Structure formats: structure tokens, C-alpha cells
Amino acid sequence: MAWVNEELSRRFGEIATLLKISGADRFRVRAYERAADAILAAPVDLGEIERAALSDVKGIGESTAKKIVEYLDTGTIGMLEELRGEVPAGVVELTRIPGLGPKTAVLVHSQLGVDSIAGLQEAMDDGRVAQLKGLGAKTVENLRESLRRMGAKDTDRVPAADAIALAEEICARLRIRDDIQQVTYAGSLRRMRETIGDIDVLVASDADPVPIHEAFRALDLVESVIAAGEKKSSVITVRGIQADLRVVEPVAWGAALQYFTGSKAHNVRVRERAVRRGLLLNEYGIFHRDEEGQAGERIASETEADVYAAVDLAYVPPAMREDTGEVDRAADGTLPRVVEIADLVGDLHGHSDWSGDGKATLADMVAAAAAKGYAYWAVTDHALPLLPMNGISAAQLRERREAIRALQDDHEMAILDASELNIGFDGEVDYDLDVLLELDWTVASVHTGLEKGEAVQTARILHAIENPGVNAIGHLTGRKIGKRPGYEVDLAAILEACRETGTALEVNASPRRLDLSGEMVRRAVEAGVTLTISCDAHSVGDLDSMRYGVWTAQRGWATPADVLNTRGVDDLRAFVAAKRERLL
DNA sequence: GCCGTTTTCGGCCCGACTGTTTTCAGTCG
């Protein structure tokens, strides 16, 4: 049976949305939103566990547990079906327009009978919307702009890979000002979510913030201004990505950074702890409350660690701030020490121009990897015959081996004689076993037949895992963020096979891939599977991507012990040898 | 609807900005 959590989470999220439009109590709405989050974050398949244990999951109470059981038994949730009957689908669609929330959606529906975006356009054109109480000409103009923008792109989120350079450019433009002490980007980009909705830039300045905001809004990267206040500016950049600026005093830097990094759900958790302690937490610091509950004396604000400590929490790395249990673990001192970039001593997936798609020579790639201070770097050029365009034959592989030997004399770093194998339709890989056993390391990946279904993909990958000459599975789902979704796999079965055989799973650090995803990393860690974090570099510049893989691994709570390339070259060779001994 | 250093009921995070208001509701993050 397939993992049921995602579908369940979607349904509870839909209940929350429909309840909100129906005007339900906001705390009840939030309870359903939290249930949806809790279900998505659960590290176990809710379809598989004891039903009595469902309400043990934080955020799932008696009522939610009942609905989960109902879904498992019947495939539907009665309450959701009823709500769908009450709220027209078109009204839900209206709330997808930025600036138009549930209140306005209900207003235009009840007063004007509008139940679609097309209907809204019409009602705006003939002036009926502007006549409604609380709405006016300016609101209509803003809604038109939102709709125009929505029509121009197919999604409101962009791959983080597309936003990173722009965010760094904005920061660099501001950093040159001498009235600015600190500047960084925060938000979902700092948490390394794989797609982002906007870029959040934070500035610390002890000067007048107004000129800083003016300068930000006047950047030539800015296409239009959405909001222009004294403390906050919002703009649309030339690439269509929204960017927000907040300017705070240097003393509030830590509190503002914590606040502005999010996630929203994480911040709510932390602020709830503050409330229970009679404190107030906002973007300016953590404060005692006076008799009226207003902010009194400031307790902490200068660093994020100070803020967490003030509510008795260990520091939480940004990538873990998603309200998936990290606050409770930070409270009782059991938050895992997640892997950091400094823990990595090697990179186990990279290409030279021996591969058809490699952009740099073996010598250049090796030199660049050595400059990172690595103990080892695996050159995993593509293989033949399964990848005709880019692969190399067994004979070329042996030729390359001579080149590696020659280079090795110049480097302390071990150059691992390795290969990225292709997983064929039946799970076979390119080289014969005797050729595989001559190699130091192999990673096997799917490059063809991406359109095939879950059963086929799972079977071919499981077969590759059983091969004693395969040491890791590369980019497990084949996704390209923002371009194509990954194919489906039975992750539970693959994790089990990896653990049984001593095969690693790769966290591909290319910002276009991030494959495994953070969620899948979490499940792999739970299952006790060994991970690798590798750049899959095709150029010298790609070797800088390691941080994205590390942050993705952090999102899945991976510790140094979970990651093979935190270990020295002897341990790495032992890992390879252990699988061969087990299966041969 | 969920939950507990406020523990089985009474609370539930916090602030900025806009537009339409004349004191604030709606939206967003």
C-alpha cells in the first residue's frame, strides 16, 4: 500500500481552506491546518500504524483520528464532501488571487453571485465590485494587477535555484551603503526550501531607515512597488519574483533574523512558549510583559541563539525550522546535531570531460576538488552502453584509470576511480561485474524511461540495489525542480533494500535536483539508511553546490553519522567491501 | 479542534501595510 500521508494532508488542508471561507472559528481552522502539517510531517505511514496510536501524534486529536480512520476505510471524508457541496469551487479559486482573501471572496459571491475568476473580471469591468462596501477603485486596480501577474506564470513559487543569485545580488547592492551594518537574505531561501514564494532581505542599521527603503525600491532590479512603509517595503523584481525588505536596529538583529527566517509555523510554536512564560516575542526581541500585557523590559534580541535561549530552547538550524517536531526536541535537549558542511571530507559524484556532458578536464576538476580540502573525490563519468550520448566504455574506463594514476602523484587527495552507472529498464547496469569490482566506487542512477510508473521504477531500482557492484543510488526520483516532477517510487521498499544490502542513497546537491528531498531524507534517516551528499558536478563551479545538499540533508535531520562522506577514505572503502562480502 | 509549568476547560502569535475607513478590517507572512 502506498504511503498515505500526503493525500491525507491535502484533504485536511482542503477542509481548513473550506472552513475558513465558510466563516468557521479561526482556531478550529488552525487546528485543521496543524493537523494537515502534522500528518505530512509524520515519519510513519498513518495507513500502517495502529489506529489507536493515531491521536498520539501531536496535532491529531480524537476528531481528526476518526476522520483518518474514515478515509482509510472508505476513501472519503464525509465532512470534506459536505463542505465541497457548500462552497463553490470557483470561490476557492478566487482566494488564490494575491490580495483577495476569504472575506472578499465570500463578499463578491454573496453580493454579486461571482463564483469564478472570469466572473470577477466581468464584475470589475462593469463597476459592480468597486461599489461594494469596503472595496473601491484602488482595490479593483490591485486585483487586476494580481490577475495579470498570475496569468503571466503558471506557478506562484519559483525554484530556489532561480532566486539565490538574485537574492545575493540585492544583498550586495545594499551592502555597499555605509549606513548599513548587516544585510542578509532570510525566509524560505535561508531555510533552503526547494521552491520559494519571495525573497526576504533583512538589514540592520542604526541610521534613518527611510533612505534605505527608498534605495531598495529604486534598484534597477525592481519592476514595481507593492508596499512602501517606513519599516517594510515589498517589490516585484524584473524576474517576477517578489522581494521584501525589513530594516531593524542592530540590537534587534537576532530577533529580526529569527522572525524573518520563519517558518511561520515554527515561529508560532516559539511564540507560544514565550506566552506561556509570560513573555512577548516579536521581531524586535523577547520582552517581559507589563500588567496590561504590553512589551516591557527587553530580555534578548541580539543573536538568534539568545532568543532561543530566552525561551529555554537550544539553537535550531534554519533548515530545521518547519514545525515538524524540532521545537519539542530543542526544548528537551534532544535536537540532533545535524550534518554541517565542515563535516564533509569528500564528494562521491562528479564528472570530467571524459563524460560527454562534463565541462572541465579531469585535471581541472581534481584540482578544484582538492582546493576544497577534501580527502577524496570520486570521478563518476557516465557509462556505456546504456547512456550512448555521454557514457564511456569499459575500455575507455581503463584508459581513464591511467590518467587518474598519473594525476594521483600530484595530489594528496585520493582520486577515486568511479562510475555513474545507468539503471536499465530491467535494473541491469552498464558494466559486467568483474569491471565493476575493479572500481573504487559506483553510483547507479535512472536516466531513461522517466515516464514509467511506480511499479516499473521501483523494480528496476531494487534490482540495481541487489548488485554487489553498486554502492549508491543517485538522484533517486529524477526530478528537476520547476521543470519536471520525479517519477514515483515505493520509498519504503527501497529504504529496506538499501539497509539490507549496505547500499547508500545520494542526496544530490545540485539546486535543480535536491534529490532526495528533505522529506525523503528524514524517512531514510528513520530507516537507518546510509546517505551520501554529493554535487554531481559537471563543471568546476558546480563543486560549490555542496551547501545546498547539506541544507537539504539538514531539512531531513541527517546527522554526520548518517552521511558516508563524513567518514575517511578507509571507512569508505570498508563500506564498499562490506557490501561485496555480503552479496558475493 | 487541540492541548496542558493555565492540565479536561479556557485559552489559542504578532506586527506591517493598504484601502476605505473616521477607527479599522482584511490580507499577508
Side-chain angles (χ1 to χ4, degrees), chain A residues 1-12 39 45-47 51 54 64-78 80-81 84:
Chain A
M1 181 174 174
W3 185 265
V4 76
N5 298 16
E6 282 93 348
E7 182 53 35
L8 264 175
S9 176
R10 258 196 300 280
R11 284 171 187 254
F12 280 96
I39 290 165
D45 187 340
L46 296 185
R51 295 184 171 191
L54 282 170
T64 304
K66 240 177 171 169
K67 292 184 180 70
I68 294 173
V69 170
E70 183 189 353
Y71 174 76
L72 294 174
D73 287 342
T74 69
T76 59
I77 300 172
L80 175 57
E81 300 305 321
R84 282 175 177 167

Side-chain angles (χ1 to χ4, degrees), chain A residues 217-492:
Chain A
R217 298 193 297 263
L219 288 175
D220 58 7
L221 302 165
V222 170
E223 184 194 273
S224 63
V225 176
I226 299 174
E230 285 189 11
K231 298 179 172 175
K232 178 181 168 181
S233 293
S234 292
V235 302
I236 300 292
T237 65
V238 284
R239 303 222 206 127
I241 303 173
Q242 182 175 330
D244 296 343
L245 174 72
R246 288 293 293 264
V247 181
V248 299
E249 293 176 321
V251 66
W253 176 254
L257 188 56
Q258 198 279 331
Y259 157 81
F260 219 16
T261 297
S263 67
K264 187 181 166 184
H266 171 87
N267 286 355
V268 168
R269 289 280 179 213
V270 177
R271 283 186 213 143
E272 282 172 351
R273 287 181 67 83
V275 169
R276 283 201 294 279
R277 284 165 174 69
L279 304 172
L280 169 74
L281 174 58
N282 59 29
E283 58 264 56
Y284 305 111
I286 184 153
F287 303 85
H288 284 296
R289 286 182 195 265
D290 62 21
E291 294 74 17
E292 283 92 46
Q294 301 302 306
E297 179 200 352
R298 173 147 54 191
I299 302 169
S301 64
E302 284 189 31
T303 72
E304 288 190 308
D306 292 344
V307 171
Y308 283 107
V311 287
D312 304 314
L313 290 174
Y315 175 80
V316 182
M320 299 177 82
R321 299 178 193 172
E322 297 290 351
D323 188 30
T324 58
E326 76 282 0
V327 175
D328 287 340
R329 298 287 294 273
D332 64 20
T334 60
L335 194 68
R337 201 290 257 172
V338 289
V339 63
E340 294 166 12
I341 193 141
D343 295 319
L344 297 185
V345 301
D347 186 342
L348 290 168
H349 187 169
H351 299 266
S352 74
D353 63 4
W354 283 76
S355 298
D357 57 357
K359 309 269 196 306
T361 64
L362 180 59
D364 286 347
M365 291 300 286
V366 164
K372 301 262 177 215
Y374 289 146
Y376 48 86
W377 185 74
V379 51
T380 56
D381 286 311
H382 289 291
L384 280 177
L386 297 175
L387 200 61
M389 295 294 289
N390 292 326
I392 58 175
S393 67
Q396 289 170 300
L397 194 63
R398 292 186 172 116
E399 249 180 78
R400 196 194 64 175
R401 186 163 305 149
E402 295 309 312
I404 290 173
R405 281 189 185 138
L407 266 175
Q408 185 65 76
D409 293 339
D410 303 332
H411 292 279
E412 246 180 73
M413 179 185 80
I415 309 166
L416 300 181
D417 183 12
S419 177
E420 180 178 14
L421 306 162
N422 311 288
I423 300 175
F425 291 121
D426 298 319
E428 75 280 17
V429 296
D430 302 84
Y431 306 129
D432 293 337
L433 186 58
D434 59 326
V435 176
L436 295 179
L437 295 182
E438 291 172 10
L439 292 164
D440 295 321
W441 172 260
T442 68
V443 47
S445 322
V446 169
H447 296 104
T448 52
L450 304 177
E451 75 288 352
K452 294 192 186 301
E454 175 177 328
V456 172
Q457 303 293 10
T458 303
R460 69 198 286 206
I461 293 167
L462 285 175
H463 191 227
I465 290 170
E466 296 295 334
N467 189 321
V470 169
N471 303 125
I473 302 298
H475 46 75
L476 180 65
T477 77
R479 71 170 179 175
K480 290 275 183 77
I481 298 168
K483 266 176 106 175
R484 64 175 190 231
Y487 44 77
E488 298 289 326
V489 295
D490 181 345
L491 185 60

Side-chain angles (χ1 to χ4, degrees), chain A residues 560-577:
Chain A
D562 295 317
V563 179
L564 183 60
N565 48 322
T566 63
R567 305 175 204 166
V569 72
D570 291 343
D571 286 348
L572 177 70
R573 292 188 193 282
F575 181 89
V576 171

Side-chain angles (χ1 to χ4, degrees), chain A residues 533-568:
Chain A
I533 307 174
S534 293
C535 288
D536 191 2
H538 286 71
S539 68
V540 167
D542 285 350
L543 292 168
D544 291 332
S545 298
M546 192 61 100
R547 54 197 166 138
Y548 306 127
V550 170
W551 291 331
T552 299
Q554 289 182 348
R555 291 180 65 80
W557 295 31
T559 69
D562 295 317
V563 179
L564 183 60
N565 48 322
T566 63
R567 305 175 204 166

